PDB file of all heavy atoms in Angstrom:
ATOM      1  N   MET C 603     -11.307   1.683   4.052  1.00 96.00           N
ATOM      2  CA  MET C 603     -10.707   2.804   3.386  1.00 96.00           C
ATOM      3  C   MET C 603     -11.398   4.108   3.744  1.00 96.00           C
ATOM      4  O   MET C 603     -10.746   5.120   3.945  1.00 96.00           O
ATOM      5  CB  MET C 603     -10.745   2.633   1.886  1.00 96.00           C
ATOM      6  CG  MET C 603     -10.089   3.733   1.090  1.00 96.00           C
ATOM      7  SD  MET C 603      -8.352   4.129   1.554  1.00 96.00           S
ATOM      8  CE  MET C 603      -7.496   2.732   0.923  1.00 96.00           C
ATOM      9  N   LEU C 604     -12.748   4.085   3.860  1.00 97.00           N
ATOM     10  CA  LEU C 604     -13.461   5.302   4.227  1.00 97.00           C
ATOM     11  C   LEU C 604     -13.027   5.745   5.622  1.00 97.00           C
ATOM     12  O   LEU C 604     -12.782   6.910   5.877  1.00 97.00           O
ATOM     13  CB  LEU C 604     -14.966   5.047   4.181  1.00 97.00           C
ATOM     14  CG  LEU C 604     -15.862   6.200   4.586  1.00 97.00           C
ATOM     15  CD1 LEU C 604     -15.577   7.487   3.741  1.00 97.00           C
ATOM     16  CD2 LEU C 604     -17.351   5.830   4.458  1.00 97.00           C
ATOM     17  N   THR C 605     -12.910   4.795   6.543  1.00 96.00           N
ATOM     18  CA  THR C 605     -12.481   5.097   7.934  1.00 96.00           C
ATOM     19  C   THR C 605     -11.094   5.722   7.884  1.00 96.00           C
ATOM     20  O   THR C 605     -10.821   6.729   8.549  1.00 96.00           O
ATOM     21  CB  THR C 605     -12.494   3.805   8.782  1.00 96.00           C
ATOM     22  OG1 THR C 605     -13.803   3.307   8.820  1.00 96.00           O
ATOM     23  CG2 THR C 605     -11.977   4.098  10.188  1.00 96.00           C
ATOM     24  N   LYS C 606     -10.176   5.102   7.141  1.00 96.00           N
ATOM     25  CA  LYS C 606      -8.803   5.604   7.015  1.00 96.00           C
ATOM     26  C   LYS C 606      -8.752   7.003   6.465  1.00 96.00           C
ATOM     27  O   LYS C 606      -8.080   7.907   7.013  1.00 96.00           O
ATOM     28  CB  LYS C 606      -7.980   4.642   6.123  1.00 96.00           C
ATOM     29  CG  LYS C 606      -6.551   5.017   5.941  1.00 96.00           C
ATOM     30  CD  LYS C 606      -5.886   3.982   4.999  1.00 96.00           C
ATOM     31  CE  LYS C 606      -4.408   4.302   4.795  1.00 96.00           C
ATOM     32  NZ  LYS C 606      -4.140   5.471   3.967  1.00 96.00           N
ATOM     33  N   GLN C 607      -9.481   7.260   5.405  1.00 97.00           N
ATOM     34  CA  GLN C 607      -9.464   8.583   4.754  1.00 97.00           C
ATOM     35  C   GLN C 607     -10.094   9.622   5.700  1.00 97.00           C
ATOM     36  O   GLN C 607      -9.569  10.750   5.785  1.00 97.00           O
ATOM     37  CB  GLN C 607     -10.211   8.555   3.430  1.00 97.00           C
ATOM     38  CG  GLN C 607      -9.597   7.621   2.383  1.00 97.00           C
ATOM     39  CD  GLN C 607      -8.307   8.161   1.818  1.00 97.00           C
ATOM     40  OE1 GLN C 607      -8.350   8.955   0.873  1.00 97.00           O
ATOM     41  NE2 GLN C 607      -7.186   7.726   2.347  1.00 97.00           N
ATOM     42  N   LEU C 608     -11.158   9.292   6.379  1.00 97.00           N
ATOM     43  CA  LEU C 608     -11.790  10.208   7.309  1.00 97.00           C
ATOM     44  C   LEU C 608     -10.847  10.554   8.486  1.00 97.00           C
ATOM     45  O   LEU C 608     -10.758  11.682   8.901  1.00 97.00           O
ATOM     46  CB  LEU C 608     -13.118   9.657   7.830  1.00 97.00           C
ATOM     47  CG  LEU C 608     -14.257   9.703   6.853  1.00 97.00           C
ATOM     48  CD1 LEU C 608     -15.422   8.842   7.311  1.00 97.00           C
ATOM     49  CD2 LEU C 608     -14.761  11.135   6.641  1.00 97.00           C
ATOM     50  N   ARG C 609     -10.124   9.548   8.974  1.00 96.00           N
ATOM     51  CA  ARG C 609      -9.189   9.784  10.055  1.00 96.00           C
ATOM     52  C   ARG C 609      -8.078  10.720   9.625  1.00 96.00           C
ATOM     53  O   ARG C 609      -7.677  11.595  10.389  1.00 96.00           O
ATOM     54  CB  ARG C 609      -8.580   8.471  10.563  1.00 96.00           C
ATOM     55  CG  ARG C 609      -9.538   7.697  11.444  1.00 96.00           C
ATOM     56  CD  ARG C 609      -8.887   6.480  12.021  1.00 96.00           C
ATOM     57  NE  ARG C 609      -9.864   5.718  12.757  1.00 96.00           N
ATOM     58  CZ  ARG C 609      -9.870   4.404  12.910  1.00 96.00           C
ATOM     59  NH1 ARG C 609      -8.870   3.708  12.371  1.00 96.00           N
ATOM     60  NH2 ARG C 609     -10.769   3.790  13.606  1.00 96.00           N
ATOM     61  N   GLU C 610      -7.590  10.532   8.387  1.00 95.00           N
ATOM     62  CA  GLU C 610      -6.507  11.403   7.894  1.00 95.00           C
ATOM     63  C   GLU C 610      -7.047  12.847   7.700  1.00 95.00           C
ATOM     64  O   GLU C 610      -6.345  13.793   8.037  1.00 95.00           O
ATOM     65  CB  GLU C 610      -5.936  10.867   6.593  1.00 95.00           C
ATOM     66  CG  GLU C 610      -5.074   9.619   6.802  1.00 95.00           C
ATOM     67  CD  GLU C 610      -4.525   9.019   5.541  1.00 95.00           C
ATOM     68  OE1 GLU C 610      -4.519   9.711   4.497  1.00 95.00           O
ATOM     69  OE2 GLU C 610      -4.067   7.867   5.587  1.00 95.00           O
ATOM     70  N   LEU C 611      -8.256  12.990   7.199  1.00 97.00           N
ATOM     71  CA  LEU C 611      -8.853  14.315   7.028  1.00 97.00           C
ATOM     72  C   LEU C 611      -9.043  14.969   8.403  1.00 97.00           C
ATOM     73  O   LEU C 611      -8.842  16.174   8.579  1.00 97.00           O
ATOM     74  CB  LEU C 611     -10.180  14.212   6.291  1.00 97.00           C
ATOM     75  CG  LEU C 611     -10.084  13.942   4.786  1.00 97.00           C
ATOM     76  CD1 LEU C 611     -11.448  13.575   4.231  1.00 97.00           C
ATOM     77  CD2 LEU C 611      -9.505  15.127   4.063  1.00 97.00           C
ATOM     78  N   GLU C 612      -9.449  14.122   9.390  1.00 97.00           N
ATOM     79  CA  GLU C 612      -9.600  14.647  10.755  1.00 97.00           C
ATOM     80  C   GLU C 612      -8.251  15.053  11.357  1.00 97.00           C
ATOM     81  O   GLU C 612      -8.082  16.134  11.940  1.00 97.00           O
ATOM     82  CB  GLU C 612     -10.253  13.592  11.633  1.00 97.00           C
ATOM     83  CG  GLU C 612     -10.625  14.067  12.991  1.00 97.00           C
ATOM     84  CD  GLU C 612     -11.266  12.971  13.831  1.00 97.00           C
ATOM     85  OE1 GLU C 612     -11.318  11.779  13.432  1.00 97.00           O
ATOM     86  OE2 GLU C 612     -11.721  13.300  14.971  1.00 97.00           O
ATOM     87  N   ASP C 613      -7.226  14.204  11.175  1.00 95.00           N
ATOM     88  CA  ASP C 613      -5.855  14.503  11.649  1.00 95.00           C
ATOM     89  C   ASP C 613      -5.333  15.804  11.051  1.00 95.00           C
ATOM     90  O   ASP C 613      -4.595  16.528  11.682  1.00 95.00           O
ATOM     91  CB  ASP C 613      -4.900  13.377  11.356  1.00 95.00           C
ATOM     92  CG  ASP C 613      -5.161  12.142  12.194  1.00 95.00           C
ATOM     93  OD1 ASP C 613      -5.916  12.223  13.196  1.00 95.00           O
ATOM     94  OD2 ASP C 613      -4.655  11.062  11.818  1.00 95.00           O
ATOM     95  N   ASN C 614      -5.699  16.086   9.760  1.00 94.00           N
ATOM     96  CA  ASN C 614      -5.270  17.282   9.096  1.00 94.00           C
ATOM     97  C   ASN C 614      -6.119  18.505   9.429  1.00 94.00           C
ATOM     98  O   ASN C 614      -5.841  19.601   8.916  1.00 94.00           O
ATOM     99  CB  ASN C 614      -5.232  17.068   7.565  1.00 94.00           C
ATOM    100  CG  ASN C 614      -4.141  16.114   7.135  1.00 94.00           C
ATOM    101  OD1 ASN C 614      -3.118  16.003   7.812  1.00 94.00           O
ATOM    102  ND2 ASN C 614      -4.364  15.428   6.062  1.00 94.00           N
ATOM    103  N   GLY C 615      -7.117  18.326  10.253  1.00 96.00           N
ATOM    104  CA  GLY C 615      -7.952  19.447  10.687  1.00 96.00           C
ATOM    105  C   GLY C 615      -8.992  19.896   9.679  1.00 96.00           C
ATOM    106  O   GLY C 615      -9.555  20.968   9.835  1.00 96.00           O
ATOM    107  N   LEU C 616      -9.305  19.051   8.672  1.00 97.00           N
ATOM    108  CA  LEU C 616     -10.259  19.446   7.634  1.00 97.00           C
ATOM    109  C   LEU C 616     -11.664  18.964   7.948  1.00 97.00           C
ATOM    110  O   LEU C 616     -12.630  19.566   7.500  1.00 97.00           O
ATOM    111  CB  LEU C 616      -9.819  18.862   6.273  1.00 97.00           C
ATOM    112  CG  LEU C 616      -8.418  19.308   5.801  1.00 97.00           C
ATOM    113  CD1 LEU C 616      -8.090  18.627   4.466  1.00 97.00           C
ATOM    114  CD2 LEU C 616      -8.334  20.812   5.694  1.00 97.00           C
ATOM    115  N   VAL C 617     -11.761  17.869   8.722  1.00 98.00           N
ATOM    116  CA  VAL C 617     -13.048  17.270   9.036  1.00 98.00           C
ATOM    117  C   VAL C 617     -13.160  17.083  10.523  1.00 98.00           C
ATOM    118  O   VAL C 617     -12.169  16.766  11.209  1.00 98.00           O
ATOM    119  CB  VAL C 617     -13.192  15.902   8.306  1.00 98.00           C
ATOM    120  CG1 VAL C 617     -14.389  15.109   8.815  1.00 98.00           C
ATOM    121  CG2 VAL C 617     -13.287  16.092   6.826  1.00 98.00           C
ATOM    122  N   GLU C 618     -14.367  17.297  11.035  1.00 98.00           N
ATOM    123  CA  GLU C 618     -14.614  17.107  12.496  1.00 98.00           C
ATOM    124  C   GLU C 618     -15.515  15.884  12.649  1.00 98.00           C
ATOM    125  O   GLU C 618     -16.443  15.691  11.873  1.00 98.00           O
ATOM    126  CB  GLU C 618     -15.319  18.342  13.021  1.00 98.00           C
ATOM    127  CG  GLU C 618     -15.697  18.266  14.470  1.00 98.00           C
ATOM    128  CD  GLU C 618     -16.350  19.532  14.971  1.00 98.00           C
ATOM    129  OE1 GLU C 618     -17.266  20.020  14.243  1.00 98.00           O
ATOM    130  OE2 GLU C 618     -16.009  19.978  16.038  1.00 98.00           O
ATOM    131  N   ARG C 619     -15.174  15.063  13.618  1.00 97.00           N
ATOM    132  CA  ARG C 619     -15.927  13.852  13.931  1.00 97.00           C
ATOM    133  C   ARG C 619     -16.625  14.064  15.258  1.00 97.00           C
ATOM    134  O   ARG C 619     -16.011  14.367  16.244  1.00 97.00           O
ATOM    135  CB  ARG C 619     -14.967  12.681  13.991  1.00 97.00           C
ATOM    136  CG  ARG C 619     -15.579  11.382  14.335  1.00 97.00           C
ATOM    137  CD  ARG C 619     -14.445  10.302  14.337  1.00 97.00           C
ATOM    138  NE  ARG C 619     -14.995   8.994  14.516  1.00 97.00           N
ATOM    139  CZ  ARG C 619     -14.912   8.305  15.663  1.00 97.00           C
ATOM    140  NH1 ARG C 619     -14.321   8.836  16.687  1.00 97.00           N
ATOM    141  NH2 ARG C 619     -15.454   7.105  15.731  1.00 97.00           N
ATOM    142  N   LYS C 620     -17.956  13.842  15.254  1.00 97.00           N
ATOM    143  CA  LYS C 620     -18.732  13.988  16.462  1.00 97.00           C
ATOM    144  C   LYS C 620     -19.406  12.671  16.798  1.00 97.00           C
ATOM    145  O   LYS C 620     -20.157  12.150  15.981  1.00 97.00           O
ATOM    146  CB  LYS C 620     -19.770  15.100  16.338  1.00 97.00           C
ATOM    147  CG  LYS C 620     -20.516  15.408  17.610  1.00 97.00           C
ATOM    148  CD  LYS C 620     -21.345  16.625  17.503  1.00 97.00           C
ATOM    149  CE  LYS C 620     -21.972  16.945  18.830  1.00 97.00           C
ATOM    150  NZ  LYS C 620     -22.851  18.111  18.779  1.00 97.00           N
ATOM    151  N   VAL C 621     -19.122  12.145  17.988  1.00 95.00           N
ATOM    152  CA  VAL C 621     -19.673  10.875  18.436  1.00 95.00           C
ATOM    153  C   VAL C 621     -20.762  11.143  19.463  1.00 95.00           C
ATOM    154  O   VAL C 621     -20.520  11.868  20.434  1.00 95.00           O
ATOM    155  CB  VAL C 621     -18.594   9.961  19.020  1.00 95.00           C
ATOM    156  CG1 VAL C 621     -19.159   8.606  19.456  1.00 95.00           C
ATOM    157  CG2 VAL C 621     -17.476   9.779  18.059  1.00 95.00           C
ATOM    158  N   TYR C 622     -21.957  10.578  19.252  1.00 93.00           N
ATOM    159  CA  TYR C 622     -23.061  10.724  20.190  1.00 93.00           C
ATOM    160  C   TYR C 622     -23.125   9.462  21.075  1.00 93.00           C
ATOM    161  O   TYR C 622     -22.996   8.351  20.547  1.00 93.00           O
ATOM    162  CB  TYR C 622     -24.375  10.890  19.431  1.00 93.00           C
ATOM    163  CG  TYR C 622     -24.461  12.170  18.660  1.00 93.00           C
ATOM    164  CD1 TYR C 622     -24.025  12.267  17.338  1.00 93.00           C
ATOM    165  CD2 TYR C 622     -24.932  13.341  19.257  1.00 93.00           C
ATOM    166  CE1 TYR C 622     -24.070  13.445  16.651  1.00 93.00           C
ATOM    167  CE2 TYR C 622     -25.010  14.541  18.553  1.00 93.00           C
ATOM    168  CZ  TYR C 622     -24.590  14.567  17.253  1.00 93.00           C
ATOM    169  OH  TYR C 622     -24.636  15.738  16.550  1.00 93.00           O
ATOM    170  N   PRO C 623     -23.265   9.647  22.379  1.00 93.00           N
ATOM    171  CA  PRO C 623     -23.308   8.495  23.304  1.00 93.00           C
ATOM    172  C   PRO C 623     -24.658   7.787  23.273  1.00 93.00           C
ATOM    173  O   PRO C 623     -25.422   7.886  24.226  1.00 93.00           O
ATOM    174  CB  PRO C 623     -22.988   9.124  24.652  1.00 93.00           C
ATOM    175  CG  PRO C 623     -23.520  10.496  24.539  1.00 93.00           C
ATOM    176  CD  PRO C 623     -23.358  10.901  23.114  1.00 93.00           C
ATOM    177  N   VAL C 624     -24.962   7.130  22.193  1.00 93.00           N
ATOM    178  CA  VAL C 624     -26.222   6.384  22.052  1.00 93.00           C
ATOM    179  C   VAL C 624     -25.911   4.986  21.514  1.00 93.00           C
ATOM    180  O   VAL C 624     -24.811   4.704  21.031  1.00 93.00           O
ATOM    181  CB  VAL C 624     -27.218   7.094  21.089  1.00 93.00           C
ATOM    182  CG1 VAL C 624     -27.656   8.428  21.634  1.00 93.00           C
ATOM    183  CG2 VAL C 624     -26.619   7.258  19.715  1.00 93.00           C
ATOM    184  N   VAL C 625     -26.870   4.110  21.657  1.00 92.00           N
ATOM    185  CA  VAL C 625     -26.751   2.755  21.116  1.00 92.00           C
ATOM    186  C   VAL C 625     -27.852   2.566  20.081  1.00 92.00           C
ATOM    187  O   VAL C 625     -29.004   2.800  20.402  1.00 92.00           O
ATOM    188  CB  VAL C 625     -26.890   1.677  22.236  1.00 92.00           C
ATOM    189  CG1 VAL C 625     -26.802   0.280  21.683  1.00 92.00           C
ATOM    190  CG2 VAL C 625     -25.832   1.905  23.302  1.00 92.00           C
ATOM    191  N   PRO C 626     -27.514   2.193  18.866  1.00 89.00           N
ATOM    192  CA  PRO C 626     -26.204   2.000  18.295  1.00 89.00           C
ATOM    193  C   PRO C 626     -25.444   3.301  18.171  1.00 89.00           C
ATOM    194  O   PRO C 626     -26.092   4.380  18.125  1.00 89.00           O
ATOM    195  CB  PRO C 626     -26.483   1.383  16.919  1.00 89.00           C
ATOM    196  CG  PRO C 626     -27.835   1.853  16.550  1.00 89.00           C
ATOM    197  CD  PRO C 626     -28.578   1.982  17.846  1.00 89.00           C
ATOM    198  N   PRO C 627     -24.123   3.261  18.098  1.00 88.00           N
ATOM    199  CA  PRO C 627     -23.338   4.505  18.033  1.00 88.00           C
ATOM    200  C   PRO C 627     -23.718   5.370  16.849  1.00 88.00           C
ATOM    201  O   PRO C 627     -24.022   4.871  15.774  1.00 88.00           O
ATOM    202  CB  PRO C 627     -21.917   4.016  17.881  1.00 88.00           C
ATOM    203  CG  PRO C 627     -21.924   2.583  18.160  1.00 88.00           C
ATOM    204  CD  PRO C 627     -23.305   2.073  18.014  1.00 88.00           C
ATOM    205  N   LYS C 628     -23.760   6.675  17.077  1.00 92.00           N
ATOM    206  CA  LYS C 628     -24.040   7.629  16.023  1.00 92.00           C
ATOM    207  C   LYS C 628     -22.824   8.528  15.891  1.00 92.00           C
ATOM    208  O   LYS C 628     -22.376   9.146  16.879  1.00 92.00           O
ATOM    209  CB  LYS C 628     -25.276   8.468  16.386  1.00 92.00           C
ATOM    210  CG  LYS C 628     -25.608   9.529  15.362  1.00 92.00           C
ATOM    211  CD  LYS C 628     -26.843  10.338  15.809  1.00 92.00           C
ATOM    212  CE  LYS C 628     -27.074  11.509  14.847  1.00 92.00           C
ATOM    213  NZ  LYS C 628     -28.214  12.316  15.261  1.00 92.00           N
ATOM    214  N   VAL C 629     -22.239   8.533  14.678  1.00 94.00           N
ATOM    215  CA  VAL C 629     -21.057   9.341  14.434  1.00 94.00           C
ATOM    216  C   VAL C 629     -21.375  10.213  13.198  1.00 94.00           C
ATOM    217  O   VAL C 629     -21.862   9.747  12.203  1.00 94.00           O
ATOM    218  CB  VAL C 629     -19.850   8.450  14.137  1.00 94.00           C
ATOM    219  CG1 VAL C 629     -18.599   9.299  13.843  1.00 94.00           C
ATOM    220  CG2 VAL C 629     -19.571   7.506  15.279  1.00 94.00           C
ATOM    221  N   GLU C 630     -21.109  11.522  13.335  1.00 97.00           N
ATOM    222  CA  GLU C 630     -21.313  12.451  12.246  1.00 97.00           C
ATOM    223  C   GLU C 630     -20.010  13.109  11.851  1.00 97.00           C
ATOM    224  O   GLU C 630     -19.154  13.383  12.706  1.00 97.00           O
ATOM    225  CB  GLU C 630     -22.329  13.543  12.668  1.00 97.00           C
ATOM    226  CG  GLU C 630     -23.704  13.038  12.819  1.00 97.00           C
ATOM    227  CD  GLU C 630     -24.684  14.128  13.216  1.00 97.00           C
ATOM    228  OE1 GLU C 630     -24.245  15.211  13.731  1.00 97.00           O
ATOM    229  OE2 GLU C 630     -25.891  13.956  13.009  1.00 97.00           O
ATOM    230  N   TYR C 631     -19.895  13.425  10.594  1.00 98.00           N
ATOM    231  CA  TYR C 631     -18.699  14.125  10.074  1.00 98.00           C
ATOM    232  C   TYR C 631     -19.134  15.392   9.412  1.00 98.00           C
ATOM    233  O   TYR C 631     -20.145  15.458   8.701  1.00 98.00           O
ATOM    234  CB  TYR C 631     -17.984  13.222   9.019  1.00 98.00           C
ATOM    235  CG  TYR C 631     -17.420  11.996   9.635  1.00 98.00           C
ATOM    236  CD1 TYR C 631     -18.159  10.802   9.712  1.00 98.00           C
ATOM    237  CD2 TYR C 631     -16.144  11.985  10.176  1.00 98.00           C
ATOM    238  CE1 TYR C 631     -17.640   9.678  10.313  1.00 98.00           C
ATOM    239  CE2 TYR C 631     -15.597  10.859  10.781  1.00 98.00           C
ATOM    240  CZ  TYR C 631     -16.371   9.742  10.844  1.00 98.00           C
ATOM    241  OH  TYR C 631     -15.834   8.584  11.448  1.00 98.00           O
ATOM    242  N   SER C 632     -18.375  16.448   9.669  1.00 98.00           N
ATOM    243  CA  SER C 632     -18.663  17.740   9.081  1.00 98.00           C
ATOM    244  C   SER C 632     -17.324  18.432   8.825  1.00 98.00           C
ATOM    245  O   SER C 632     -16.289  18.042   9.345  1.00 98.00           O
ATOM    246  CB  SER C 632     -19.524  18.603   9.991  1.00 98.00           C
ATOM    247  OG  SER C 632     -18.908  18.777  11.254  1.00 98.00           O
ATOM    248  N   LEU C 633     -17.364  19.471   7.993  1.00 98.00           N
ATOM    249  CA  LEU C 633     -16.155  20.208   7.711  1.00 98.00           C
ATOM    250  C   LEU C 633     -15.823  21.191   8.827  1.00 98.00           C
ATOM    251  O   LEU C 633     -16.747  21.782   9.404  1.00 98.00           O
ATOM    252  CB  LEU C 633     -16.371  20.986   6.381  1.00 98.00           C
ATOM    253  CG  LEU C 633     -16.541  20.101   5.159  1.00 98.00           C
ATOM    254  CD1 LEU C 633     -17.156  20.925   4.013  1.00 98.00           C
ATOM    255  CD2 LEU C 633     -15.231  19.504   4.734  1.00 98.00           C
TER     256      LEU C 633
END
Side-chain angles (χ1 to χ4, degrees):
M603 181 56 70
L604 179 56
T605 299
K606 180 181 182 289
Q607 298 286 277
L608 285 166
R609 282 187 185 148
E610 288 179 15
L611 287 167
E612 186 181 7
D613 289 345
N614 290 332
L616 302 177
V617 170
E618 179 179 44
R619 178 178 186 257
K620 185 170 184 181
V621 181
Y622 294 90
V624 295
V625 177
K628 177 181 174 182
V629 180
E630 291 181 338
Y631 294 90
S632 59
L633 295 163

